[in-house]
Amino acid sequence: MDMKTLTTTLTAVALLLAACGSGQPGSMPTDFDPDDVILTVTDEGGFAPVEMILGRHPRYVLQADGRLYAPGAITLIYPGPMLMPVFVGKVSEADMTRIRQLIEESGLPEIDRVDDTTATSHVADATTTVITYFDGSDEHTLSVYALGIAAERSDMAAAAAELVEALDRASANLTELEEYRPTRVEIRTGAGLSLPDPEFRNVQPWPLAVGPDELPETEFGWRCVVVEGPPARDLLELFGTANQATVWDHDGTEVPLLARGLMPGEPGCA
């Protein structure tokens, strides 16, 4: 472990011990709007195809009124649907109280960002779980590499695991469960996307008003755009009929696309 990692980890442990042992953990505001996103859990990185990494939804998005968003399951048959379904339901009052308690006890309200990378010394190619708490004005983030994989874990990792486990339990007990209908869609393309096998490939007309080279450029040569409102609904309906082997014909060139509906609070193209 290098000195920077050690310092970061010790800082995290100190914060957590202060929050858990003082009896006065950082408190959460009570004046959220119902639609405010207060917590997200994402999985970043890992040894996986680039299209899988870029196409991931957050594992959880929690709003102040107890609505919890999570991606649904899909079959492993190839080609699967182009869009992964997302479901939303209402967290019980007891589960919501427990989640709020764990947010406070974890020390999240008192930190800006702390990264626990201690497991990199003995776990390879794992994802990093990133938990972000929003207090209405600032973001507070804990990230833990190989959460749930590493046998030995810091106090910070233990607190993060307990919070994620509480969300897992809450998601299994949701009421008013329904499929989420996004109002924004993120669309990506880039050289890192390979064309699907011709045996499965199906070609559809180019779906956007601008060509692939006119989309905003992001890092590493990728291009990405977020579409909102009625055009997003039209695109989501079209992409809902496509699959992982669909390519899009732009002036005689077959272009693969990644698309996903954005959950509440997601900036898109991050």
Side-chain angles (χ1 to χ4, degrees):
M1 182 187 302
D2 60 29
M3 183 58 67
K4 180 179 179 181
T5 299
L6 177 61
T7 301
T8 300
T9 302
L10 291 176
T11 300
V13 171
L15 284 168
L16 287 165
L17 291 175
C20 297
S22 68
Q24 296 179 331
S27 59
M28 295 178 63
T30 58
D31 57 350
F32 289 109
D33 290 331
D35 292 336
D36 285 347
V37 171
I38 62 171
L39 193 73
T40 63
V41 179
T42 62
D43 295 301
E44 300 181 1
F47 186 69
V50 65
E51 59 267 25
M52 182 178 294
I53 293 174
L54 291 177
R56 282 181 187 145
H57 286 284
R59 192 191 304 190
Y60 292 117
V61 170
L62 178 65
Q63 289 180 307
D65 66 353
R67 281 173 290 170
L68 183 66
Y69 300 77
I74 59 173
T75 66
L76 296 179
I77 298 174
Y78 182 84
M82 183 178 185
L83 297 177
M84 177 177 286
V86 172
F87 290 86
V88 56
K90 199 68 177 292
V91 173
S92 71
E93 184 174 343
D95 283 335
M96 194 67 178
T97 298
R98 181 57 176 160
I99 290 166
R100 286 177 173 270
Q101 178 186 357
L102 289 173
I103 290 173
E104 293 184 348
E105 291 180 355
S106 70
L108 267 167
E110 298 179 1
I111 66 174
D112 292 325
R113 180 176 182 114
V114 177
D115 300 306
D116 183 337
T117 59
T118 54
T120 55
S121 62
H122 52 278
V123 178
D125 301 329
T127 59
T128 297
T129 299
V130 181
I131 303 172
T132 302
Y133 162 62
F134 303 87
D135 65 9
S137 58
D138 297 307
E139 299 180 10
H140 310 268
T141 300
L142 297 176
S143 77
V144 183
Y145 176 74
L147 184 69
I149 299 176
E152 298 180 5
R153 58 187 186 181
S154 66
D155 288 348
M156 184 179 78
E162 192 171 7
L163 180 52
V164 172
E165 288 165 5
L167 289 163
D168 291 340
R169 290 192 294 271
S171 70
N173 299 313
L174 294 176
T175 59
E176 304 174 29
L177 188 66
E178 62 182 8
E179 187 169 356
Y180 171 56
R181 304 296 180 185
T183 59
R184 299 177 299 141
V185 58
E186 173 192 273
I187 303 167
R188 291 182 184 268
T189 190
L193 287 179
S194 57
L195 289 170
D197 191 309
E199 178 183 355
F200 301 103
R201 191 180 310 172
N202 68 88
V203 182
Q204 299 294 330
W206 182 250
L208 302 174
V210 298
D213 293 338
E214 299 174 85
L215 299 178
E217 190 168 359
T218 61
E219 66 282 347
F220 306 114
W222 287 90
R223 294 182 179 273
C224 183
V225 66
V226 173
V227 181
E228 304 182 13
R233 289 195 293 269
D234 293 341
L235 285 169
L236 286 165
E237 183 176 353
L238 173 63
F239 294 152
T241 66
N243 60 39
Q244 293 168 320
T246 301
V247 294
W248 308 88
D249 183 355
H250 181 261
D251 294 339
T253 299
E254 296 177 358
V255 181
L257 293 175
L258 285 178
R260 66 183 187 90
L262 294 173
M263 294 188 191
E266 280 197 271
C269 295

